[in-house]
Amino acid sequence: MARIMTLAQAIAENVKDGDTVAMEGFTHLIPYAAGHEVIRQGRKDLTIIRMTPDILYDQLIGVGAVKKMKFSWGGNPGVGSLHRFRDAVEKHWPHKLEVEEHSHAAMANAYEAGAANLPFAMLRGYIGADLPKVNAQIKSVTCPFTGEVLAAVPSIRPDVTLIHAQRADRKGNVLIEGIVGVQKEAVLAAKRSVVTVEEIVDELQPASPNSLVLPSWAVTAVVAVPGGAFPSYAQGYYKRNNAFYLAWDEIARDRDSFQQWVKENILEKTPEDFAQYAKPAKN
């Protein structure tokens, strides 16, 4: 059953050097606070997985925590490139980064296969695409019933998945509302999971029509971190900080300005500092 604990304790117990780590959240509920704690604790040699890596993964790559990234589409949404990601790929700074690129559909199916404890996922995809030419992990299989040739990719089975959600109850059941993405599958596919939430409540009700509940038995650790998805948004709590995404483009372009930002805003901060962003969203 899920244990309620501090973020420092949850990361120390569940994220180890060399782990394969998924940090999911599609456009919102991105686990920034959890990712920053991974950086503060100095984790190294991570293989990170995410369908749409953006600023958080740029930060992890830039501090040298990552040896490989498995992903589909990477960038600063609505702005442009991830400059720390580009620097690692093009100039091997702070060190060489291995990349494994897939389509969105393949990643989603691979998470689902992992959640079902299957060795691989099948899909109708990559037809006419060049990714199979550069990614040896993309194979094909023939349906034994129809003869149709389908794409196949290995299932995703992270050592640990980190996500953010709106609420958890005191038993460790977690409520996710809004765009649910692949958070459920990413947690069910992982050996361990850490879920940060805006608040811990006595009852999870009321839930919106577009929501899901992760049961306590599927979660390893639950941590209350109000504001923990900033600068992305948490539906019903606060909006996306578009200004930060614009500002990041300039911060991350230069290695020195990036390192100074990390020092001031991650290394010298605590999870409690996210609370200043946890203001109710105005509709």
Side-chain angles (χ1 to χ4, degrees):
M1 306 297 283
R3 295 168 55 204
I4 297 174
M5 59 181 74
T6 68
L7 186 55
Q9 182 184 10
I11 297 302
E13 292 186 7
N14 293 289
V15 183
K16 307 299 182 183
D17 289 352
D19 272 355
T20 297
V21 185
M23 303 184 197
E24 286 294 349
F26 194 74
T27 76
H28 79 142
L29 298 177
I30 298 172
Y32 276 93
H36 286 187
E37 186 62 28
V38 170
I39 292 173
R40 273 191 296 272
Q41 294 194 16
R43 294 295 179 269
K44 300 294 182 185
D45 298 320
L46 302 177
T47 295
I48 56 175
I49 303 174
R50 181 167 163 78
M51 284 187 63
T52 54
D54 55 9
I55 291 175
L56 178 57
Y57 275 30
D58 210 28
Q59 294 166 357
L60 287 156
I61 291 167
V63 300
V66 181
K67 69 176 181 180
K68 177 180 178 178
M69 183 166 72
K70 184 173 184 175
F71 70 107
S72 57
W73 186 88
N76 185 344
V79 180
S81 294
L82 294 174
H83 300 296
R84 295 301 93 222
F85 174 33
R86 288 193 63 167
D87 207 6
V89 171
E90 295 176 354
K91 300 180 180 178
H92 300 171
W93 190 93
H95 54 69
K96 186 177 180 180
L97 177 69
E98 183 181 351
V99 296
E100 181 182 325
E101 186 176 0
H102 288 273
S103 68
H104 281 344
M107 292 281 288
N109 278 275
Y111 271 123
E112 189 169 13
N117 199 25
L118 294 171
F120 68 94
M122 292 183 298
L123 66 150
R124 291 187 177 95
Y126 294 117
I127 298 171
D130 287 335
L131 272 176
K133 298 177 182 179
V134 296
N135 185 347
Q137 294 299 305
I138 301 169
K139 307 288 187 180
S140 61
V141 295
T142 301
C143 174
F145 303 104
T146 67
E148 181 181 5
V149 177
L150 302 167
V153 294
S155 62
I156 294 176
R157 297 300 305 272
D159 292 306
V160 58
T161 288
L162 312 179
I163 65 169
H164 189 77
Q166 280 93 346
R167 296 185 291 284
D169 65 20
R170 303 192 189 283
K171 295 180 181 179
N173 301 298
V174 175
L175 174 68
I176 303 174
E177 296 183 288
I179 302 173
V180 296
V182 293
Q183 288 100 311
K184 176 187 73 175
E185 291 80 5
V187 167
L188 294 177
K191 298 174 184 175
R192 304 178 298 278
S193 57
V194 176
V195 182
T196 55
V197 294
E198 290 297 317
E199 58 181 330
I200 295 175
V201 297
D202 293 327
E203 299 288 341
L204 291 182
Q205 300 299 330
S208 66
N210 194 41
S211 62
L212 63 87
V213 173
L214 286 171
S216 177
W217 56 262
V219 178
T220 307
V222 170
V223 185
V225 187
F230 182 89
S232 72
Y233 71 97
Q235 181 170 304
Y237 289 84
Y238 45 89
K239 293 183 177 182
R240 185 180 191 266
N241 189 298
N242 294 319
F244 182 85
Y245 285 82
L246 291 169
W248 184 253
D249 186 71
E250 190 64 28
I251 293 167
R253 280 180 183 272
D254 179 76
R255 294 174 183 176
D256 291 337
S257 64
F258 165 75
Q259 291 176 313
Q260 185 63 30
W261 187 92
V262 169
K263 178 177 181 292
E264 294 175 356
N265 295 277
I266 298 180
L267 301 181
E268 295 178 354
K269 298 290 186 180
T270 70
E272 290 71 28
D273 290 310
F274 276 87
Q276 63 184 300
Y277 309 117
K279 299 177 181 179
K282 295 180 180 179
N283 297 323

